[in-house]
Each structure stands twice: as structure tokens, then as C-alpha cells.
Amino acid sequence: MTPSSPSPALPDELAARLDGIELPDPLGFSRLMAPVMSVAYYRDGAWETPRLTGLDPLPLAPHTQALHYGQAIFEGMKAYRNLGDDLDAPTLLFRPYEHARRFNRSAARLGMPELDEQVFVTALEELVGTLERLVPSRQGQSLYLRPTMFGATADLSVVPSTEFCFLICATPSDAFFTTPISAWIERHYSRAGAGGTGNVKAAGNYAASFAAAAPLRENGFHQLLWLDAVEHRYVEEFTAMNVFTRRGDVLVTPPLSDTILAGITRDSLLALGPSFGLKMEERPIDIHELTDAVAAGEDVEVFGCGTGAVVAPVELLGDETGLRLPLPDRSVALDLRGRLLDIQHGISAAPDGWQWPVTALPDGPRA
């Protein structure tokens, strides 16, 4: 596969929205939404070609299906400034076809039409090429991209939509979790159950975590660490990240199931781990064994990984009982984070398909 070239023409109205725009300092996250997005609709059994348009409110009827029944999915992905010398493009997407495949798995699970992978990636290329000036230049920063699909039929019947909206919006983003995080072990609520939607990026998965996060915020913690819904014994994932533990030279992550999201960063770390001399295992992680090992002072490390965080080392585990377990060793997490960021920014070589060059939209006649 070779990257396609973005469209050479940008309408004057959209070009005007980009004129003079400056990145905020600090970047934060979603402080500045890119003023251009990509949109397509599915009607009469077929998708339109995605087109660039202004970041304007969408015309939605009050009885639009997604607002009532949650038929909505999304992806989280990033475009990085190319800081290396080997790839001839200012910007790099990271594993875009893997995101396209996961997007379609989410669509299928929620009864939505798939979007051709090439159409998905070409829409990303066109948008990122147009927004090239909004891709920040510091390592770890990115242009965060949010592909989204939702049921757009105006109908209160409890049936799948027949019309859908696909869009991609973007925001320049600072690096997430640049300092170690604290993780709150959630022992009551469940993130996902067997046969549910825990293994796809359904919008409702995240809304269901909000109430559970109240004790976390009140106690100064950053992320919920979810346990299985049956026994509340086995580690599953963080709210917005997959989870890894390291004991000695063994790196462990829970096996994929219908309650755990198939993270693209997770998959990348499984591929990179052996180059650090680590043995990789996918197996259940008993929370009691983990906390006992940390309490006993064993060589244990815990970290989350995901598109937003890349890799986020955990410095403290806690829960509502007053448990507070510091984790002093975070060396492997930081090493993995550094390697992955080098790949994402084009500084280090990567497996085929991981680094996807995107050229800036060239100047030329505007439609």
C-alpha cells in the first residue's frame, strides 16, 4: 500500500478559516478545534464520498436515533510531526489501516454500515494534509483525530438507523500523562460484561464510566482500573487505556476478549517488547496477586497504554478501603514510551504500515 495524495484544491471559504490561525500555548487537549473537518453521509444504502467542510454545528432533529439509543462509535488516533530524515513528508499517521479495521469492527457490533478502509484513510490524509500547519512540532505532541459515526435517522422506533453520519474532527494536542499517574481500583461498578460492547469503541462505554469516576477525582487519582464483571478479581483495563504489568523480565497484559478493547498501542508494545529483552505474556492478571506483589516490594511495574497516553506509568495504586501502594519502578514503561514516540515521529524505523506519510495540501487553484 502506498499513501495517496490529498486533493490539490481547497475552497476559499475553508482556506480563510485557516488563515492566521495559531496554536495555543499550552496546547492542552481540545482547547483549539481545527476549523475544518471531513463529513460523509450514508443514505439509500450507500456512502457519499467524504468531503471537507467547516467545523459547524450539524443539523440534527431532536428525535435523531443516536441521541436516544446511543448508536454511535468513534476512533482515537493521531498525526505526528515527522522529526526524522528517512520519510519524505511533514506529517505521519500511525497505523491508520488498523484504526480503519477497528472502526469497522465497532460499526458491525452496533449494526452500522462499514466504511471502505481506503476511503477512511484517504479522508484522514485529505484532512491532515489540509491541517498540516496545525500539527505541532514537539515530540509527544500531535494533531489528535476523532473519526466518528452515528445513527442519523430521525425516528424514535427502537430499530437501527438507516442513515448515518461519518465525520473526522481534529484538535492539536499536548502529550498526555507526561508524569506518572495514580490508578484507582474500581471494585463495584463494571466497565463491560460478556457479550457486550467492551471490545469496541462504542460511545456509551465511556459515558458509563463517569459516575464511577467520582471517588477517583475526589481522592486525587487519574484513572480507574477496571476489574472483570463476574468476580471483580481480574484486571481488565483502564477507562481509556489497556493495562500492562511487569514482574522481572516478563511483561503481561490481559488476553483480548469481548470485554477488552483490542488496543493498537497494546498490539504495538507486544511487538516491541522482545527487543527490550522482555518475555511477553497474554494471560489473566489477578488483582490480589498484583497488590500482594507490590506490597511485598517485588520488582513490579504497572502502566497503561493507548493512543492518547502512548504509555502512562503508574506510580500509585489505591482504592476505597484506604489501600495506597506506591510503585517506584517505572523504567520499562518509560523505555517503551520513548521507543514508540520515536517511531511515531519518524525518528526510528518501524514495521511496514506503522508510519504513514501524509503530504501537506499543495498550493494551487481553489475551487
Side-chain angles (χ1 to χ4, degrees):
M1 294 180 293
T2 57
S4 59
S5 298
S7 167
L10 185 66
D12 287 336
E13 186 272 333
L14 298 184
R17 291 180 180 233
L18 290 166
D19 286 344
I21 196 167
E22 295 184 0
L23 296 178
D25 186 18
L27 278 178
F29 180 70
S30 75
R31 286 190 62 196
L32 170 68
M33 292 301 299
V36 177
M37 65 178 179
S38 179
V39 174
Y41 284 90
Y42 179 93
R43 299 186 177 100
D44 299 322
W47 281 106
E48 302 171 344
T49 299
R51 59 184 176 85
L52 296 179
T53 185
L55 186 76
D56 297 319
L58 298 171
L60 296 178
H63 51 306
T64 295
Q65 200 270 3
L67 299 178
H68 297 267
Y69 305 125
Q71 195 178 19
I73 62 170
F74 69 92
E75 270 297 307
M77 54 191 304
K78 294 177 177 178
Y80 291 88
R81 179 65 61 189
N82 181 12
L83 302 179
D85 299 321
D86 296 334
L87 298 169
D88 186 20
T91 307
L92 302 173
L93 291 168
F94 183 68
R95 304 188 70 177
Y97 280 88
E98 289 302 317
H99 284 281
R101 294 178 189 116
R102 188 171 68 180
F103 191 75
N104 279 335
R105 290 196 298 271
S106 298
R109 179 62 184 84
L110 269 72
M112 308 168 87
E114 294 187 358
L115 186 70
D116 183 88
E117 291 177 11
Q118 186 59 57
V119 171
F120 181 94
V121 174
T122 298
L124 287 166
E125 291 176 320
E126 184 176 43
L127 182 62
V128 171
T130 298
L131 301 176
E132 187 271 333
R133 73 187 71 181
L134 298 184
V135 181
S137 58
R138 295 177 184 170
Q139 189 169 15
Q141 296 179 335
S142 64
L143 180 67
Y144 182 87
L145 301 161
R146 176 56 66 86
T148 303
M149 188 197 302
F150 63 87
T153 304
D155 188 349
L156 289 181
S157 301
V158 188
V159 295
S161 286
T162 57
E163 298 183 356
F164 298 87
C165 177
F166 167 73
L167 62 85
I168 309 171
C169 56
T171 179
S173 174
D174 230 329
F176 296 178
F177 300 138
T178 54
T179 57
I181 66 170
S182 53
W184 183 267
I185 302 168
E186 176 51 52
R187 299 188 182 274
H188 297 288
Y189 290 105
S190 299
R191 176 188 170 273
T197 61
N199 62 340
V200 299
K201 289 187 75 69
N205 292 354
Y206 298 82
S209 72
F210 293 161
L216 168 146
R217 293 189 296 268
E218 292 166 2
N219 287 275
F221 282 67
H222 301 100
Q223 282 276 307
L224 290 172
L225 180 59
W226 295 93
L227 306 178
D228 73 284
V230 178
E231 299 182 68
H232 289 282
R233 174 181 173 184
Y234 294 102
V235 172
E236 294 221 316
E237 60 178 75
F238 293 103
T239 296
M241 298 181 287
N242 291 112
V243 62
F244 278 84
T245 67
R246 180 191 61 77
R247 296 178 71 175
D249 63 351
V250 180
L251 200 60
V252 183
T253 191
L256 294 180
S257 68
D258 54 5
T259 63
I260 295 178
L261 184 69
I264 292 162
T265 307
R266 173 190 180 276
D267 182 71
S268 302
L269 295 184
L270 286 171
L272 294 175
S275 67
F276 288 84
L278 297 168
K279 301 172 185 176
M280 314 303 292
E281 292 185 3
E282 296 179 75
R283 61 170 175 79
I285 300 172
D286 187 311
I287 187 62
H288 304 296
E289 292 181 9
L290 175 61
T291 55
D292 288 349
V294 175
E298 295 184 24
D299 181 20
V300 181
E301 192 171 348
V302 179
F303 59 89
C305 69
T307 293
V310 184
V311 174
V314 174
E315 66 176 357
L316 182 68
L317 290 172
D319 67 13
E320 63 183 18
T321 69
L323 179 76
R324 298 294 184 269
L325 292 174
L327 291 100
D329 190 357
R330 299 181 289 275
S331 58
V332 168
L334 295 175
D335 288 345
L336 288 168
R337 176 184 174 88
R339 173 73 64 81
L340 198 52
L341 283 172
D342 281 350
I343 288 172
Q344 290 167 332
H345 283 285
I347 297 169
S348 296
D352 184 49
W354 283 26
Q355 297 164 322
W356 199 258
V358 180
T359 58
L361 186 73
D363 292 331
R366 291 182 176 139

